[in-house]
Amino acid sequence: EDQVTQSPEALRLQEGESSSLNCSYTVSGLRGLFWYRQDPGKGPEFLFTLYSAGEEKEKERLKATLTKKESFLHITAPKPEDSATYLCAVQADTGRRALTFGSGTRLQVQP
Amino acid sequence: KAGVTQTPRYLIKTRGQQVTLSCSPISGHRSVSWYQQTPGQGLQFLFEYFSETQRNKGNFPGRFSGRQFSNSRSEMNVSTLELGDSALYLCASSFSGFTEAFFGQGTRLTVV
């Protein structure tokens, strides 16, 4: 069974204080790993897809990396508007199209 | 281009009733997936449709069903509602089901 574990559950940062969120996964074969951002009461917003170990993707203050067992979402010099829940999901290469999500990391960036 | 549209945004239903939720995917996307999100269980996969066919199903009881129309729009139905069905129901649209999925804003269902 595919499993995704995210840590920490919650993270409070000062504006400008860089940090990383972790996503550990267990999947029979990885087709893709996805990062989403979710604001309260809204649907998840797509951020990145990573397909193979060593791959990196960047968008503004966010950078996602992937190894064979985990992914990191690095947040550089965060701003209060980066406050949200960040979700990680995996899709297995079994032909099953379902995404298996982690429980998310609630990030709060204080000014 | 327009995103994924879910209607209605909010619903309040009584136990035992049934409900139908609607999802219009991004133009050109043929895969529509449904997820249930609750504080305790997080995001859980319900089912996925592609070209009007259900291709995958999650571990939910038969009270949860869906369908997809020829224009790729999808509906999800829950019959005999239970209190535990209260959740945010999210629809995700993807070109093929193997590419990134884009979510709608969700339908917040409250069962009283």
Side-chain angles (χ1 to χ4, degrees):
Chain A
E1 184 179 326
D2 303 337
Q3 288 191 320
V4 178
T5 303
Q6 291 189 246
S7 62
E9 286 187 18
L11 181 62
R12 182 178 295 181
L13 299 174
Q14 291 296 125
E15 184 172 1
E17 180 186 2
S18 301
S19 187
S20 296
L21 313 182
N22 178 262
C23 170
S24 298
Y25 63 90
T26 303
V27 65
S28 53
L30 182 69
R31 171 173 285 279
L33 184 141
F34 304 84
W35 281 99
Y36 288 87
R37 168 198 169 122
Q38 187 174 27
D39 293 303
K42 296 190 174 182
E45 175 189 344
F46 171 76
L47 293 174
F48 303 109
T49 308
L50 301 167
Y51 292 105
S52 57
E55 190 174 0
E56 299 182 352
K57 294 261 180 87
E58 283 189 69
K59 179 181 178 180
E60 296 180 356
R61 295 177 292 282
L62 301 177
K63 179 180 176 179
T65 62
L66 180 65
T67 72
K68 288 189 177 179
K69 294 189 175 181
E70 57 190 349
S71 177
F72 292 93
L73 185 65
H74 306 279
I75 303 177
T76 302
K79 298 182 178 181
E81 53 262 42
D82 295 322
S83 298
T85 295
Y86 290 85
L87 296 164
C88 170
V90 297
Q91 187 178 55
D93 65 359
T94 57
R96 181 171 162 79
R97 292 159 183 78
L99 295 178
T100 299
F101 279 85
S103 54
T105 293
R106 287 192 317 278
L107 173 66
Q108 184 177 14
V109 182
Q110 296 183 313
Chain B
K1 70 186 179 185
V4 180
T5 303
Q6 290 189 246
T7 57
R9 288 295 311 279
Y10 303 94
L11 268 178
I12 300 176
K13 290 288 188 179
T14 304
R15 268 184 306 175
Q17 287 187 312
Q18 75 165 18
V19 67
T20 299
L21 312 181
S22 180
C23 172
S24 292
I26 293 170
S27 178
H29 284 192
R30 296 166 66 188
S31 169
V32 174
S33 297
W34 289 89
Y35 291 82
Q36 181 196 65
Q37 186 174 32
T38 59
Q41 298 296 319
L43 271 149
Q44 293 188 293
F45 173 76
L46 281 156
F47 29 66
E48 186 249 356
Y49 286 86
F50 183 89
S51 293
E52 303 178 65
T53 301
Q54 185 184 91
R55 297 194 298 190
N56 298 117
K57 192 175 192 310
N59 296 324
F60 280 82
R63 300 185 296 107
F64 291 82
S65 63
R67 58 178 176 169
Q68 186 180 33
F69 302 95
S70 58
N71 61 358
S72 293
R73 189 177 71 83
S74 177
E75 288 183 347
M76 188 191 108
N77 185 76
V78 188
S79 62
T80 320
L81 284 166
E82 300 177 359
L83 295 179
D85 296 333
S86 295
L88 181 66
Y89 289 89
L90 293 159
C91 163
S93 159
S94 167
F95 179 73
S96 67
F98 288 122
T99 53
E100 48 269 15
F102 297 89
F103 284 82
Q105 296 287 52
T107 294
R108 171 73 63 184
L109 172 65
T110 302
V111 183
V112 297

